[in-house]
Amino acid sequence: MEKLKQLWGVIVIGFVLSIWGVKGHEFDEFFSNKSKVTFLESIYGASAASVPPNALMVGLTLVQGAAAKGAVCLDGTLPGYHLHPGSGEGANSWLIELEGGGWCNNMKTCVYRKGTHRGSSTLFEKEIPFTGILSNKAEENPDFFNWNRVKIRYCDGASFAGDSEDKVYNATGLQFRGQRIWLAGIQELMSKGMHNADQALLSGCSAGGLASILHCDEFQSFFPESTKVKCLSDAGLFIDAVDVSGGHTLRDFFGGVVSLHGVKKNLPSTCTDHLDPTSCFFPQNLIANIETPMFILNAAYDSWQIHESLASPAADPQGTWHDCKSNHERCSTSQIQFLQDFRNDMLNAVKGFATSRQNGLFLNSCFAHCQSERQDTWFADDSPVIDNKAIAIAVGDWYFDRSNIKAIDCPYPCDKTCHNLVFK
């Protein structure tokens, strides 16, 4: 069975790369002890290898009229979304998933990005699989399977938060309109029935998880008080951490994103009143002041943050961390201790947040990133658990007020249920 899983992973990896129009050697690959997935897909959404063969495929809809509102992708094309309508008891319930996919922090990276499906809707997949929290099957998604489920595509490069009027960028054809894309998408969905919602959940993975934090209270404001509104951030708890060189790789990177995209004016004033804009792009400085109930789902040893924040090539030019980043089992004692210190930073970041009963928490001690969209990590026979409770059950218990969820795993290596990602 394990060999069949790996063979299926190899087949779907080739399929995904062919869709992207890229050569296999251009991307590193992740391997899981449970499945085999590409690096980018494991980070930015449902991995190809975690997509069941009978997964629901949902078509793309472009937001017509968005251009008149200035709500356009980096290259000026229309934004889009994928919607699968609810049914039965879920007909008036809505789950909005904000797609992730990193950021661009300078002209070079944004010009590159606008020529990809992260910056142009002309390169969006025409249909995508709905798995994990987006699945339409009760056995895969017990609490949200019959809701109206939407994925809003990500094509601005600043977590749906930028809005720059700077004319300097006109020569490049770049448009920094994430905030307008967010608003145009929500307005479109309101016109399609979301204004009648009895229940709503705003979710997102990675950069989309950060976006769900940034927009949570705003999302709640679109509904009457009678609507039950909550938010979920998956792999969006990016920490302002010290990297292996003693620097602040992610802070420097986020500083470029905030400045280039004109994010400052769309950040919560509860933060910008006393902190600089870059600090207010970090969730640790935002989550305690969010009024809407929020659930934070994160791996304590977040794979993206290890690779791109803690031990990025710039922070580790000699490659001392190469083997450890590739496979956590190859980490030295001192490297494991560094990662344990990072976990402690994450735990400290959620202390104030966790004191509120309305908030939920699931921090598992895994080397992973984005666990709600992947079927194998969201809800499956061998999906990750804390105290024998799977992620899907924990989120459902929290959303429907069945129990108070503050699940914090014991430190690595105690959790044997993880789907740890390992580089080849």
Side-chain angles (χ1 to χ4, degrees):
M1 179 60 69
E2 190 63 31
K3 289 183 178 179
L4 286 175
K5 285 183 180 180
Q6 292 181 359
L7 177 60
W8 169 244
V10 172
I11 292 171
V12 292
I13 285 170
F15 173 69
V16 169
L17 290 175
S18 67
I19 289 176
W20 288 349
V22 300
K23 299 175 181 177
H25 68 268
E26 292 180 292
F27 293 97
D28 288 311
E29 291 178 357
F30 264 124
F31 291 81
S32 167
N33 58 336
K34 311 277 175 112
S35 61
K36 187 174 184 181
V37 297
T38 65
F39 173 61
L40 290 180
E41 287 303 291
S42 68
I43 281 181
Y44 299 139
S47 70
S50 68
V51 177
N54 60 343
L56 173 70
M57 301 300 292
V58 180
L60 172 68
T61 300
L62 296 179
V63 183
Q64 303 299 328
K69 303 174 183 177
V72 292
C73 299
L74 279 172
D75 71 338
T77 54
L78 294 175
Y81 61 92
H82 303 256
L83 163 65
H84 188 254
S87 61
E89 294 181 355
N92 288 325
S93 298
W94 288 74
L95 189 155
I96 310 302
E97 175 85 4
L98 299 177
E99 185 180 34
W103 309 266
C104 59
N105 69 325
N106 55 43
M107 297 297 290
K108 180 179 179 180
T109 57
C110 288
V111 168
Y112 173 80
R113 188 182 180 96
K114 79 169 185 174
T116 74
H117 69 305
R118 302 295 183 198
S120 174
S121 63
T122 60
L123 300 173
F124 283 171
E125 300 89 341
K126 301 309 179 188
E127 59 177 18
I128 61 173
F130 268 27
T131 62
I133 197 172
L134 296 175
S135 172
N136 66 328
K137 300 176 179 64
E139 63 270 23
E140 296 177 351
N141 187 23
D143 283 308
F144 307 107
F145 72 96
N146 61 352
W147 285 31
N148 298 278
R149 299 166 331 283
V150 183
K151 173 170 276 192
I152 298 180
R153 300 303 297 270
Y154 180 39
C155 63
D156 66 279
S159 288
F160 297 89
D163 194 5
S164 176
E165 298 282 356
D166 200 324
K167 302 299 188 292
V168 170
Y169 312 128
N170 285 353
T172 66
L174 289 171
Q175 300 282 338
F176 301 112
R177 303 299 188 185
Q179 177 71 18
R180 299 191 189 197
I181 291 173
W182 152 255
L183 291 174
I186 294 299
Q187 290 165 1
E188 169 98 346
L189 296 172
M190 285 292 186
S191 73
K192 290 187 175 291
M194 192 167 71
H195 68 286
N196 292 321
D198 298 323
Q199 303 176 120
L201 175 63
L202 178 66
S203 180
C205 153
S206 193
L210 172 56
S212 71
I213 291 171
L214 292 170
H215 291 296
C216 184
D217 283 340
E218 185 181 10
F219 182 66
Q220 194 278 333
S221 72
F222 294 127
F223 298 93
E225 290 186 5
S226 58
T227 303
K228 183 173 189 170
V229 180
K230 296 189 178 185
C231 305
L232 164 66
S233 173
D234 176 11
L237 188 59
F238 296 98
I239 302 298
D240 187 7
V242 176
D243 61 38
V244 297
S245 71
H248 288 82
T249 296
L250 192 54
R251 166 168 280 275
D252 294 341
F253 184 88
F254 273 1
V257 175
V258 170
S259 175
L260 181 64
H261 291 258
V263 172
K264 178 181 178 180
K265 58 190 171 186
N266 296 317
L267 295 171
S269 60
T270 53
C271 182
T272 56
D273 283 347
H274 64 282
L275 291 176
D276 64 273
T278 299
S279 294
C280 295
F281 204 60
F282 281 98
Q284 66 200 72
N285 299 317
L286 301 172
I287 54 177
N289 293 316
I290 294 175
E291 297 180 357
T292 307
M294 165 74 69
F295 191 102
I296 290 179
L297 163 63
N298 229 93
Y301 311 101
D302 184 278
S303 297
W304 188 93
Q305 295 190 62
I306 292 173
H307 282 261
E308 302 299 332
S309 173
L310 301 182
S312 69
D316 180 36
Q318 303 303 316
T320 305
W321 276 74
H322 177 271
D323 288 349
C324 179
K325 288 195 304 181
S326 299
N327 185 342
H328 60 279
E329 294 181 354
R330 298 180 181 177
C331 295
S332 67
T333 301
S334 62
Q335 288 171 331
I336 288 294
Q337 185 56 54
F338 187 90
L339 297 178
Q340 300 292 24
D341 291 342
F342 173 72
R343 174 181 176 271
N344 290 334
D345 288 343
M346 187 174 289
L347 295 181
N348 287 331
V350 299
K351 275 186 177 178
F353 170 88
T355 60
S356 173
R357 183 175 176 80
Q358 73 173 10
N359 294 330
L361 197 60
F362 193 103
L363 298 183
N364 55 351
S365 293
C366 303
F367 292 80
H369 188 79
C370 285
Q371 300 179 87
S372 64
E373 293 181 1
R374 288 181 51 173
Q375 194 59 56
D376 65 317
T377 49
W378 173 247
F379 193 63
D381 291 341
D382 63 346
S383 56
V385 298
I386 297 179
D387 295 330
N388 294 318
K389 184 170 289 192
I391 294 169
I393 303 303
V395 172
D397 284 353
W398 162 79
Y399 185 89
F400 293 103
D401 304 308
R402 295 190 292 248
S403 62
N404 181 22
I405 304 296
K406 300 293 191 301
I408 299 178
D409 215 350
C410 49
Y412 172 82
C414 70
D415 192 336
K416 306 306 180 184
T417 69
C418 290
H419 290 211
N420 290 320
L421 297 170
V422 180
F423 274 126
K424 179 183 179 183

